[in-house]
Amino acid sequence: MKKEYLFYKIVFSIFSFFAMALVYLLISFILYKGLSSISVELIFSDANIVDAMMFKERVFDGIFPAIIGTLMLIFLSLIFGIVFGVASGIYLSIYANTKVKEFLTTCFELLATVPSIIIGVFFLLLSIYLHKIFMSNFLPSLLLSSLALSLLILPYLVKNTQLCLDNIPKEIKHLGLTLGLNKMQNLFYILLPYASKELTSGIFLALGRACEDTAVIMLTGAVASAGIASSVFDKYEALPFYIYYISSEYSDQAELNSAFGAALVLLCIAILLFLFTSLLQKKFRKKYA
Amino acid sequence: MLNIKNLSLSYGDKHIFEELNIEIKENEITAIVGASGIGKSSLFLCINQMIRYEKSYKLKGEILYKGIDLMKESEDNLTKIRKNIIYVSQQPDILPMSIYENLAFIARIHKIKNIDEKINAALEKVYLYDEIKDRLHTDATSLSGGQQQRLILARALLLEPEVLLLDEPTASLNEELSHKIGLMLKEHKSTIIIISHFKSQVKKLTNNVYSL
Ligand SMILES: Nc1ncnc2c1ncn2[C@@H]1O[C@H](COP(=O)(O)OP(=O)(O)OP(=O)(O)O)[C@@H](O)[C@H]1O
Ligand SMILES: [Mg+2]
């Protein structure tokens, strides 16, 4: 018994050590390559920083528009993700009957297996179709990309929301109803606050996945030099696409290094997203405590 | 005020009780006694119709509340009725927020006025106020079992329902506290149905005793 325990302990330690070593290597590699190339020039090129930050001056050659583009993408996907994903999860957990539940759960699981490039192609074709038939301004754009990204992360959001709500203990689940609240009040005053911590974690983990996806956005509106989108119907720049674009067509080492700089910035955005989540969770807990 | 007629309940093939007849008098205490697992808590679920959220139950008979049959009411109407028939469950179902907030949130939703005063009064009634007055804004989940049980009793009292369904409200309290809470309930002016394991315990409270 004891020997067996020791054996598994060693095996698991070795595997987890390898996993951690990989993460460590990856991050230190990006830090090493990225730090040396990160500079004001990389971000703003030769534009005036203050003017650029106020969106008065357009930045050419810098990654500033790509940073803003990525942030806008995250923001819009967050909205669509909450609207579609969280709402579907709530529906599945609380309102759907068993048959509908089984059917939709299978659908979402299927959707989770669809590669992101296919989602990109689908949205590209959809936009061409819609552009021809209904709306002349429905072209690859920030809006289209964020819709596509929210579809990409939809299965995770739905599953997470559903699990969070399903896992609420039985006596809490119906507490509001026994106190004379209707189903809607029970949901908003008791169930969602009760599950808020797990819900926000799930949403931001999924967003992290969305903000680094390249396949979807390069087909649905991300381009190399669009500047900052002035509306959601514009084309835009984004960091993952910038990195992909540079590393596939660089002409010298300096150019490749700027891709590493952009990668570091993207990593920082992901980390900020993570920090923001934990901050939000603490706030939720405080408000709810 | 509350009339239970020929009520039969089963879960799947398992009969819990059959042809139950109980008459609850207004503003009096009625006690339900019986062994563990006999179906006392289930009877409460029938009365506030939360049984609708259980799986594979079968319910027959009538539950007349002020003349209307609760079993035939729509869920919308029941929402309003449940505000007046508050169920205090056996396991304290407090939320992971402060003691104060556990009471205040529901008072706010039901638009109760003078919340702070009423909360203090409710806590006084269950003999909790002195124990926790300087930590009202700390986490309620760190209260002891008996304190939690009294907290949810206070939550029910705060809503001033016409009927209180108390499922072993004093199960985890010592004798002295049980006695004091018993006296408080006796003086409380509303219809109370109380579940207990032992006849001897409820004899002091009421003569209306039904055993399942
Ligand atoms: N949802 C359900 N599905 C199936 N059986 C159930 C369900 N709820 C309760 N039961 C069963 O019904 C019986 C009565 O349960 P109930 O909780 O009403 O007993 P009780 O009299 O309150 O017991 P105690 O004094 O221990 O609280 C038990 O045997 C229990 O296992
Ligand atoms: Mg019980």
Side-chain angles (χ1 to χ4, degrees), chain A residues 170, chain B residues 9 11-12 14 16-17 34-43 45 51 54-57 90-91 167-168 195-197 212:
Chain A
K170 201 177 147 203
Chain B
L9 171 71
Y11 292 116
K14 194 170 153 202
I16 305 295
F17 46 71
S36 177
I38 203 105
K40 303 181 298 297
S41 300
S42 302
L43 175 63
L45 291 185
I51 193 91
E54 298 293 326
K55 281 190 192 115
S56 66
Y57 72 97
Q90 207 166 1
Q91 299 93 10
D167 198 342
E168 303 196 40
I195 285 179
S196 174
H197 270 121
L212 287 194

Side-chain angles (χ1 to χ4, degrees), chain B residues 2-207:
Chain B
L2 194 64
N3 240 324
I4 293 169
K5 286 186 181 165
N6 302 325
L7 196 69
S8 306
L9 171 71
S10 52
Y11 292 116
D13 307 327
K14 194 170 153 202
H15 295 287
I16 305 295
F17 46 71
E18 261 166 84
E19 300 284 315
L20 203 62
N21 286 289
I22 295 178
E23 198 191 328
I24 311 287
K25 291 180 195 132
E26 189 159 6
N27 292 338
E28 284 186 27
I29 297 180
T30 305
I32 312 281
V33 294
S36 177
I38 203 105
K40 303 181 298 297
S41 300
S42 302
L43 175 63
F44 273 8
L45 291 185
C46 297
I47 295 177
N48 71 359
Q49 282 294 301
M50 285 307 290
I51 193 91
R52 293 183 182 194
Y53 294 93
E54 298 293 326
K55 281 190 192 115
S56 66
Y57 72 97
K58 270 194 238 70
L59 192 60
K60 267 187 294 191
E62 287 176 12
I63 303 168
L64 299 171
Y65 171 68
K66 294 177 171 173
I68 53 172
D69 189 354
L70 295 183
M71 280 163 59
K72 298 203 180 85
E73 281 305 301
S74 71
E75 190 60 27
D76 278 350
N77 286 343
L78 279 173
T79 298
K80 286 173 207 125
I81 292 171
R82 283 196 197 105
K83 206 219 140 202
N84 283 315
I85 306 183
I86 295 288
Y87 168 62
V88 178
S89 89
Q90 207 166 1
Q91 299 93 10
D93 43 12
I94 60 168
L95 293 169
M97 45 193 192
S98 74
I99 299 169
Y100 174 83
E101 208 43 49
N102 258 287
L103 301 177
F105 92 98
I106 193 74
R108 269 188 233 116
I109 300 173
H110 286 311
K111 302 203 169 66
I112 290 175
K113 296 197 179 78
N114 302 329
I115 291 182
D116 287 6
E117 283 164 40
K118 288 208 173 136
I119 285 179
N120 290 350
L123 288 171
E124 293 263 15
K125 273 197 165 168
V126 297
Y127 300 96
L128 200 55
Y129 185 73
D130 286 332
E131 286 168 46
I132 56 165
K133 63 181 173 219
D134 39 56
R135 49 187 178 124
L136 267 179
H137 296 279
T138 60
D139 189 9
T141 51
S142 56
L143 291 174
S144 76
Q147 288 175 323
Q148 294 190 4
Q149 211 169 25
R150 281 179 286 154
L151 184 63
I152 65 165
L153 180 57
R155 186 178 68 196
L157 294 174
L158 182 70
L159 299 179
E160 299 172 353
E162 289 168 14
V163 182
L164 271 169
L165 306 176
L166 308 180
D167 198 342
E168 303 196 40
T170 58
S172 41
L173 303 181
N174 64 28
E175 213 161 310
E176 194 201 336
L177 256 178
S178 309
H179 181 67
K180 285 207 273 190
I181 299 240
L183 287 181
M184 181 274 289
L185 292 176
K186 244 176 145 171
E187 276 160 35
H188 192 74
K189 280 180 196 53
S190 69
T191 310
I192 295 174
I193 314 177
I194 188 166
I195 285 179
S196 174
H197 270 121
F198 307 107
K199 244 182 195 158
S200 58
Q201 257 184 8
V202 291
K203 278 236 172 85
K204 292 175 227 153
L205 285 180
T206 175
N207 292 321

